[in-house]
Amino acid sequence: MITLRYHIVSIAAVFLALAVGVVLGTSSVSEGLLTAVSGEKQELRAQVDELGAERAQLKAQADAADRFDTTIAPMAVRGQLSGRSVVVISSADTDDGHRAAMTELLRDSGADITGEVRLGEALTDPDRTDQLRGVVTQLLPAGVQLPTAADPGTLAGGLIGPLALVNPQTGQPQAADDARAAALSGLAGGGYATASEGLRPAQLAVVLTGGRMEGDNAADRATALARLATQIDRSGQGAVLAGTTGSADGRGAVGVARVDPAMSSSLSTVDNAETGAGRVAVVMAAREQADRQAGHYGVASSAQGPVPGTRGAS
């Protein structure tokens, strides 16, 4: 006789069998899934290790190439700027080592380094534009005219250019010695720029900067520096704006200058001045400027070639 208890036991047995089946099935699937994931993990780890090794090899090759370029650079530029005078102007974000290496190579080229001007952060600060305008107007030497543009970069370049460069037509200083000293002292007092002792006006200028600018007002500061370099270029025989990797981006001074025809038509630029090849390009671009030519060099897509004479080369 089939009792109620029998039905209950039968139903419980069925559910127990189902539960056991589910557990066994899940365990089987989990083991298979874990095995597959583990295999993929090992494969990805092997790929990461392989890419890491390739990256290390490429870095070693790049470092070796840069050491080679740096070694032969003095021979490559020898005599390029003989009889030419150059002033070195550097922005606040310029690395000291890059500045020293660039100055040394300019000397190797035969250039007469007449001094150095280091720009302060206040010079490209948009919040101090009105103050800068007042300072520039007050310090302007007799006989020097400011450009009509009122942006901070052009204003600063309109003062620093005539102080640091000789008149391109006459070859004579554009300001008297005492007026130059007073103006440079005023710029230093406001945190705008400091000049090396005994600075003499030069024929050409090399304006050094870092890479892509970061932080608040980065685009404005990059634009100010590009316009300053452009005005300095117009104040003398010529100028080269040289930045490091990233400077050709939209927030880099080199990048700003290259996309504006009013700047790029006369100002030369280099976007990899931290490398031996880039420093050679700066010297050769300065020579081009002395010959009234302009070009844009480096490794960025906006460059015309690695160095002058390679425009359009692949």
Side-chain angles (χ1 to χ4, degrees):
M1 178 179 179
I2 300 176
T3 64
L4 178 61
R5 181 179 180 182
Y6 177 83
H7 282 294
I8 293 173
V9 171
S10 298
I11 293 172
V14 170
F15 280 108
L16 179 62
L18 287 173
V20 171
V22 169
V23 170
L24 292 176
T26 302
S27 298
S28 177
V29 171
S30 297
E31 290 178 3
L33 181 61
L34 288 174
T35 299
V37 169
S38 178
E40 290 182 2
K41 180 180 178 182
Q42 292 177 357
E43 183 178 351
L44 289 173
R45 182 177 296 168
Q47 292 178 3
V48 169
D49 292 341
E50 182 178 354
L51 290 173
E54 290 180 1
R55 179 180 180 277
Q57 183 179 7
L58 289 173
K59 185 178 184 303
Q61 291 175 351
D63 291 343
D66 187 50
R67 288 194 299 271
F68 175 79
D69 292 339
T70 300
T71 300
I72 68 169
M75 293 179 283
V77 302
R78 185 175 298 160
Q80 287 291 318
L81 293 175
S82 293
R84 309 284 183 177
S85 55
V86 178
V87 61
V88 178
I89 301 172
S90 55
S91 65
D93 64 339
T94 303
D95 179 82
D96 289 341
H98 296 162
R99 182 191 298 108
M102 189 70 254
T103 301
E104 181 179 356
L105 191 63
L106 286 167
R107 288 197 176 97
D108 290 334
S109 73
D112 172 21
I113 305 299
T114 63
E116 180 181 346
V117 178
R118 298 193 183 191
L119 308 177
E121 292 185 358
L123 196 70
T124 57
D125 184 354
D127 295 332
R128 299 187 62 175
T129 299
D130 291 338
Q131 183 180 351
L132 175 64
R133 185 178 295 110
V135 169
V136 168
T137 303
Q138 183 180 12
L139 298 176
L140 193 68
V144 176
Q145 292 185 339
L146 284 177
T148 56
D151 63 272
T154 302
L155 284 173
L159 175 60
I160 294 175
L163 297 177
L165 295 171
V166 297
N167 185 300
Q169 280 74 45
T170 66
Q172 298 300 311
Q174 302 183 56
D177 291 345
D178 56 348
R180 183 188 314 111
L184 291 172
S185 177
L187 288 173
Y192 296 108
T194 57
S196 58
E197 186 176 356
L199 173 73
R200 294 177 287 111
Q203 296 169 308
L204 300 164
V206 170
V207 183
L208 301 177
T209 184
R212 182 179 187 271
M213 294 190 177
E214 304 291 345
D216 297 338
N217 301 316
D220 291 336
R221 289 186 286 114
T223 299
L225 185 58
R227 289 178 176 171
L228 178 143
T230 301
Q231 190 58 43
I232 288 174
D233 173 70
R234 294 169 180 166
S235 299
Q237 198 173 97
V240 180
L241 174 61
T244 59
T245 300
S247 62
D249 292 352
R251 290 191 175 187
V254 170
V256 172
R258 285 179 177 176
V259 299
D260 188 336
M263 301 186 200
S264 62
S265 60
S266 60
L267 176 70
S268 291
T269 63
V270 176
D271 61 50
N272 61 335
E274 80 276 21
T275 67
R279 289 190 288 273
V280 169
V282 172
V283 172
M284 297 179 72
R287 175 55 188 265
E288 271 195 333
Q289 283 285 316
D291 295 334
R292 302 295 194 273
Q293 298 180 45
H296 306 283
Y297 309 106
V299 295
S301 59
S302 56
Q304 296 171 310
V307 295
T310 60
R311 298 185 187 186
S314 57

